Structure formats: C-alpha cells, structure tokens
Amino acid sequence: MGTLLLSALREVIARDAIALPLPFDGATADLAALFMFDERLARADVVCLGEMNHFIHEKSDFRLFFARWLAARGWTAFAEELGWSDGARVSRYLASGDEAVFARLPSFNYTGHLRTDRDDLPRGVLKASREHYPVAAFVAEQSRFYRGLRGAGGMRFFGIDIDGAPGGSYEDIRAWLAPFAVDPAVARFLQALARVPGEDALQEAQRLRVIDASLLAGAVGEAVARDVRFSLDALIDSLNYIVLAYSAPRYDALRPAMAFRENAMKRRFTAAQALGGDKLVLMGHALHLAKQGDPVGASGVGPGGGQVSSLGVHLAQERGLKLFSVWMLYGAGRDSQPFPDLPRGAHYAPDTLNAILAERALPLLLPLSDPIFQTPVKIGHMYNATVSVAPQQQADAIFFLPEVSPLRA
C-alpha cells in the first residue's frame, strides 16, 4: 500500500470513525452510534455480522452490541455459523429460558446423540482441532451471548452450518413427533428413521434420503412436518460432509469438503428464511459473508474451498438480496483457535487496515462511505493471514477493537 493511500486512509479514519468506550461491553454500550445506519437497515433484506475470528472473547460483545440495536428495530430472528441441531436447541432456549439446553449442544461435546457403533469424529488433519478445541470456554462464551440475545428480544435462532458431530437431529425429530407417536403414519416414519446397526455414514445418508417427511403433514401439521424435513436435510448434508472431510490428510485436501459445506450453508440459510421470516440476521466468519469475489482465493482453504462461491456472494450476487454488513476487525491480542500448528497471537503488518486503525488505540465504529474504501487494502484475520479486499465492496461498516483476548470459561 502506497504512502499516499496510507496517509489518505488515516485522514478519513480520523474524520469518520466514531470512538466507542474502552473497555467495550456490548451488553451495555450506548447504541446511539448505530442510529446513523437506520435508513440503510430499513432497505436491507439480510443483516450480516462478520467476525474475523471465532475464538476471541470480544466476538460476543460485537454481536451483542448490534443484536440489541437490531432487535429493537424488529430483527428478532438470528442465524449463526453453527450446526442446524444446535440452532434448534438455542431457539428452544430463547423461547423457554431453560439453560439446560447449553449442556446439550451437539457442536460442543454433548455426546448423547452419537452412534455407539461408529466413530463420527475427525481423523485426518482436523483431528488436532477436535482434540484441542476450547469446549468449556466456547460454551461459556456462546451462553453469554445467548443470554444477552434473549434479554434483547431475540425470538428465533438457526444454525446454518454442518453439524460437525451428526445425530442431534434424531433427538430433535423424535421430540417433535412424540406427541403424535400413536398415529400410524408417525409410527411408520419413526421406524424408518431408526438407525441401522453397522451402516457407514454414506449408507446412513442414503437411507435417510428416501424418507419422505411430507407424508407426516396430515398427522402432525405442516409446521412440524416442515421442521422434520429441514432437520433431515441438514442431517443428510452433515453425514455427507464428514465422509468428505474427516479423513482428509492435509489442509489442501479439504477443498471439496469446504465447497460442499458452503453449498450446504446456502441450503440451511434458505431453510432458516422459510422458518424465520424476511428479517434474518446472519452471523459468522466475515469471509463466509463476503459480498463479492473470493477474498481467500488460492492462498488458503477458505469458504467454498476455492471451488464455489461464498454464502455472502450467493446471497448478494446470485440471489440479489440487499445485505447490510458489518465486519469486526482487531489490531492485536491472542485467541483460542484449536490448531496447535497455527499461531494464536495477532501480529499484523503496518500496511494492513488493522494496523492503521490500531494507531487510534480505541474501539471504533467506521462507516465505509468514503470512496477511498473502494480501493483494495490488506485486512488481517485468523492465523495472521491477510486478504486484499476493497472494504466498501464487502461491508457497510467496520467495528474495530485495538486488542482482543482468548475465550473465557
């Protein structure tokens, strides 16, 4: 990045960036700074909140800050880069307040849904991630966010990602159908749903694919039948994903699995829209939510594996939806990411947007309205990787913290 561009960026940031309180608490921070986006929000079909790192404590503060503003304006359905079964359970928590749900999230070491005749956990390059995953801290942080979301008025919740440990949908479906179990159509469905001893993941997916949940509608109603069908679809995709991903010996061998996963996320988003309505808030890694191009490209195994478009591109370009997007960046600190061979400390070069924003040493809210943000700049994210993007093509604003910290149990 040239000296003139760096100087111009500093001038625009000094003029346009709004300082936020330090330390920043997303549950209590004044929302007045967000009111400038009310008009753009009114024109949006989808709101995207994209963080650059899942494994930092401050991610929940970023989400809570915007969730409080969004819920107050009628955006009460939220979707996250999380398994479909997890999302169904979080939605039950939002409705009931029963925190027992937090101990039964399939993505976070709940095992009651797993098969006993087969190992459905990662074996190849992803094995280290599973073994070093900061489960207790992640559950604590997610629970903190879900409590805050419920307090803010969040009503519905969806997971739009793969169920990384498939099987939770079996429990969900049986719970939905339990009140109707005496009906012959429901009894036949549950019999067909039963796991077959000794089947592998691909055989299980093929068996589930021929089960027709629409036949339940006469016995349980359209709404329950639709819930069952969407959960079956998610379970099938999750089983097919682990066949592709969990034996991959190297990161680059994950590309087909990442492409399959990204397309599965598109299907889950469509299902979430059908259940949650037109005003849906989507949360995940910012690169999944990129609105144009492929920011990762050949430099890493990112969203879509370099083979298919990201979820954000699909929504903005292929479906023509209007996205209001905010990206969370940070300048320094440490995370809790689970790959032991990749860095956990953030060190970004002076010509990255992260480093330029960090010169202010304050939390910032930066609208990306100036034409200078049509120029590509380097942005740092997890593992000290960088992507070169024109910020204005990808987001409407940046939320920035000078330093972040690991997840806290």
Side-chain angles (χ1 to χ4, degrees):
M1 196 185 306
T3 303
L4 289 178
L5 178 57
L6 285 173
S7 178
L9 274 172
R10 289 187 176 97
E11 289 180 9
V12 171
I13 290 167
R15 183 193 70 205
D16 292 351
I18 298 170
L20 300 172
L22 182 67
F24 185 82
D25 181 353
T28 61
D30 189 345
L31 300 177
L34 299 178
F35 297 169
M36 74 171 94
F37 300 120
D38 282 353
E39 186 176 338
R40 258 181 280 186
L41 180 65
R43 298 194 300 267
D45 299 311
V46 181
V47 172
C48 295
L49 303 179
E51 73 268 4
M52 282 295 177
N53 195 327
H54 300 314
F55 299 95
I56 52 176
H57 170 71
E58 292 77 11
K59 175 187 77 174
S60 291
D61 288 297
F62 160 60
R63 291 179 168 184
L64 276 176
F65 183 48
F66 283 89
R68 290 166 51 222
W69 169 62
L70 291 164
R73 279 148 181 76
W75 293 72
T76 58
F78 291 76
E80 183 178 7
E81 186 185 335
L82 190 71
W84 184 263
S85 181
D86 298 291
R89 296 173 189 214
V90 173
S91 200
R92 288 200 289 275
Y93 160 73
L94 292 180
S96 69
D98 182 5
E99 294 196 359
V101 165
F102 299 156
R104 294 176 60 86
L105 298 177
S107 289
F108 303 116
N109 271 16
Y110 169 67
T111 60
H113 65 298
L114 294 178
R115 296 185 69 120
T116 58
D117 62 339
R118 189 179 77 215
D119 182 3
D120 281 341
L121 301 179
R123 299 176 296 282
V125 69
L126 295 177
K127 181 180 179 182
S129 167
R130 184 76 186 185
E131 292 175 342
H132 296 274
Y133 205 92
V135 175
F138 213 110
V139 171
E141 295 282 9
Q142 293 290 107
S143 301
R144 177 169 76 98
F145 171 66
Y146 299 143
R147 290 186 191 103
L149 183 60
R150 186 169 190 265
M155 301 290 290
R156 297 294 305 275
F157 200 91
F158 304 94
I160 51 94
D161 203 352
I162 293 294
D163 284 301
S169 289
Y170 283 110
E171 293 183 337
D172 299 330
I173 291 169
R174 290 192 185 100
W176 291 327
L177 296 182
F180 313 96
V182 296
D183 186 281
V186 174
R188 287 193 298 272
F189 180 90
L190 289 171
Q191 185 176 13
L193 186 69
R195 283 165 161 158
V196 176
E199 64 185 351
D200 62 27
L202 187 58
Q203 291 168 336
E204 185 176 1
Q206 292 169 341
R207 171 178 59 79
L208 294 172
R209 192 173 296 281
V210 301
I211 300 176
D212 189 355
S214 66
L215 298 177
L216 291 170
V220 304
E222 293 287 348
V224 173
R226 185 172 58 176
D227 283 338
V228 171
R229 176 167 56 86
F230 287 153
S231 288
L232 270 182
D233 290 345
L235 178 55
I236 292 165
D237 274 347
S238 296
L239 290 165
N240 284 320
Y241 170 79
I242 69 171
V243 171
L244 290 170
Y246 281 8
S247 61
R250 305 175 311 278
Y251 292 118
D252 61 354
L254 287 168
R255 290 186 184 278
M258 293 299 102
F260 181 89
R261 176 192 174 201
E262 203 73 16
N263 283 337
M265 290 172 70
K266 297 168 190 175
R267 293 189 284 273
R268 297 294 85 73
F269 179 86
T270 300
Q273 270 194 318
L275 295 173
D278 293 334
K279 290 185 174 183
L280 196 62
V281 181
L282 179 57
M283 302 173 293
H285 195 286
L287 298 183
H288 283 295
L289 307 180
K291 293 192 284 189
Q292 292 191 29
D294 178 5
V296 177
S299 65
V301 186
Q307 299 180 0
V308 301
S309 62
S310 70
L311 173 60
V313 168
H314 169 71
L315 298 178
Q317 305 300 323
E318 297 167 11
R319 290 187 53 185
L321 299 176
K322 296 181 180 65
L323 274 54
F324 174 80
S325 299
V326 184
W327 280 16
M328 177 189 178
L329 275 59
Y330 56 92
R334 294 188 62 80
D335 66 22
S336 303
Q337 68 83 11
F339 289 100
D341 58 335
L342 294 174
R344 294 189 174 97
H347 302 284
Y348 299 127
D351 63 345
T352 60
L353 184 57
N354 309 61
I356 297 166
L357 290 166
E359 293 171 1
R360 299 289 302 279
L362 287 170
L364 300 172
L365 181 64
L366 177 64
L368 298 174
S369 51
D370 192 278
I372 196 170
F373 294 113
Q374 297 175 11
T375 304
V377 297
K378 286 196 293 185
I379 291 177
H381 59 104
M382 294 177 69
Y383 323 125
N384 293 321
T386 60
V387 292
S388 181
V389 299
Q392 201 175 87
Q393 294 179 3
Q394 307 297 353
D396 297 271
I398 285 173
F399 172 88
F400 175 80
L401 293 177
E403 187 170 6
V404 295
S405 57
L407 302 172
R408 303 175 196 176

